[in-house]
Amino acid sequence: MKRMLSGIKPTGQLTLGNYIGALRNFVKYQDDYEMIVFIANLHCITEYQDPKDLRKNLTDAVALYLACGLDPEKSTIFLQTDVHAHAELGYIMACNTYLGELNRMTQFKDRMAKGEKNMTAGLYSYPCLMAADILLYDANYVPVGEDQKQHVELTRDIAQRFNNKYGETFVVPEPLIAKVGARIMSLSDPTKKMSKSEETNKGCIYLLDDLKSARKKIMSAVTDSLGIIQLDKVNQPGLYNLIEIASSLSGRSMEDIVEEFKDQGYGKLKGYVADVVCESLEKIQNRYNEIIESKQLEKVLNEGALKASKMADAKLEEVKRKIGLEIKY
Ligand code: AMP
Ligand code: TRP
């Protein structure tokens, strides 16, 4: 069975974008692949997080993974810091990555261009840690949203370079980007990605939002003044985004939704999108509440870390041996 791996960095509460672009797909994949998913808590601290908030966000993220349907019997679920090999291989990967490569990462470049101050060395070198996350497990596929594709491509380059230098060690992974829902846009500014780091909350739906406020956000989503319901991503990005959200949650094609609503106006269409979103949120939130009450998280994480450590430690040993870091008599 091919192996698939992905991680989420819960620096805030998980969003509908995370669900549609990532989580939902993990759940589908776990039947056909050996699935490894982890909470990338080391990646969270590339920027200051209030410790209390961080702890809550990490806990909620695990509970939401399970609530969205990840099954610990089928998937390996763990916290990154519970498996020490990540940080160690992360350093080794940093020693096999060129500054020029990190300078080309658009996420970092964009923030640099904006003149952001006080960016940390951890933020700059984070693609090296991400490469370690993936390569430790010989993952064949890495399902991510569009924004992470470049990081997976860098991981491939690092893996290939390492294999050439030290002999076949790492599986070269492939990014896997879903066709629908890879980039859910903000409801208040459909030219930007829906993101937990948005300044206002209006454009972003959180998985734990109460249903009333989720509905309100959709009903007041920015659209356009053309008044035509059709699929035109360039001229009607807001409308397109709403239809894409409804399509990915309902399983209906975008064309089918357009066909139903094309003569009914934006208000009706938004009402439908809100219904579909609230139905999904309600299911997830009910499960989430059960999971938090059942106190099963600790057990899931302990078992996950044990399984993951076995794989990761073996790979790290192999890497250290090949590099010549180990002295064995
Ligand atoms: P992040 O929240 O940035 O750590 O992202 C976690 C995962 O969710 C990554 O695979 C992202 O590509 C995906 N993701 C985050 N936001 C969105 C979005 N607005 N649309 C689609 N996928 C997203
Ligand atoms: N960098 C990813 C993000 O910001 C999270 C992440 C960390 C990840 N390590 C990973 C994703 C390994 C896939 C594979 O969303």
Side-chain angles (χ1 to χ4, degrees), residues 166-177:
Y166 297 107
E168 221 35 57
T169 309
F170 295 126
V171 169
V172 180
E174 279 177 46
L176 209 73
I177 317 267

Side-chain angles (χ1 to χ4, degrees), residues 71-91:
D71 178 353
E73 299 285 322
K74 295 182 191 163
S75 303
T76 305
I77 305 164
F78 65 97
L79 202 59
Q80 188 182 25
T81 41
D82 283 343
V83 180
H84 297 236
H86 286 252
E88 198 170 335
L89 187 67
Y91 173 76

Side-chain angles (χ1 to χ4, degrees), residues 15-74:
T15 69
L16 191 65
N18 291 137
Y19 178 66
I20 295 176
L23 262 174
R24 183 181 64 114
N25 300 323
F26 303 170
V27 175
K28 277 193 242 152
Y29 293 136
Q30 68 183 346
D31 291 320
D32 302 318
Y33 296 90
E34 192 183 331
M35 190 75 201
I36 300 175
V37 261
F38 68 99
I39 307 284
N41 57 352
L42 281 173
H43 290 271
C44 292
I45 58 163
T46 52
E47 287 165 277
Y48 174 79
Q49 307 287 320
D50 176 80
K52 236 179 37 224
D53 290 347
L54 180 58
R55 202 168 293 125
K56 160 103 174 98
N57 289 334
L58 295 175
T59 311
D60 280 350
V62 188
L64 280 169
Y65 266 31
L66 301 180
C68 290
L70 269 186
D71 178 353
E73 299 285 322
K74 295 182 191 163

Side-chain angles (χ1 to χ4, degrees), residues 253-264:
S253 72
M254 292 176 71
E255 289 77 12
D256 190 31
I257 297 171
V258 169
E259 191 54 36
E260 181 181 338
F261 288 94
K262 68 175 192 285
D263 301 320
Q264 300 192 45

Side-chain angles (χ1 to χ4, degrees), residues 191-210:
T191 62
K192 291 204 184 107
K193 182 180 109 155
M194 181 185 282
S195 152
K196 50 205 169 200
S197 49
E198 249 177 73
E199 284 116 45
T200 71
N201 262 337
K202 281 198 291 199
C204 180
I205 292 186
Y206 296 94
L207 294 180
L208 295 177
D209 265 351
D210 70 81

Side-chain angles (χ1 to χ4, degrees), residues 5-10 18 26 36 38-41 43 80 86 107 126-127 129-135 141-145 147-148 151-152 155 193 196:
L5 171 139
S6 199
I8 284 191
K9 183 183 77 176
N18 291 137
F26 303 170
I36 300 175
F38 68 99
I39 307 284
N41 57 352
H43 290 271
Q80 188 182 25
H86 286 252
Q107 262 189 3
Y126 124 108
L129 180 59
M130 179 158 166
D133 296 337
I134 297 169
L135 299 178
Y141 299 107
V142 184
V144 282
D147 59 336
Q148 294 297 324
H151 294 148
V152 181
T155 303
K193 182 180 109 155
K196 50 205 169 200

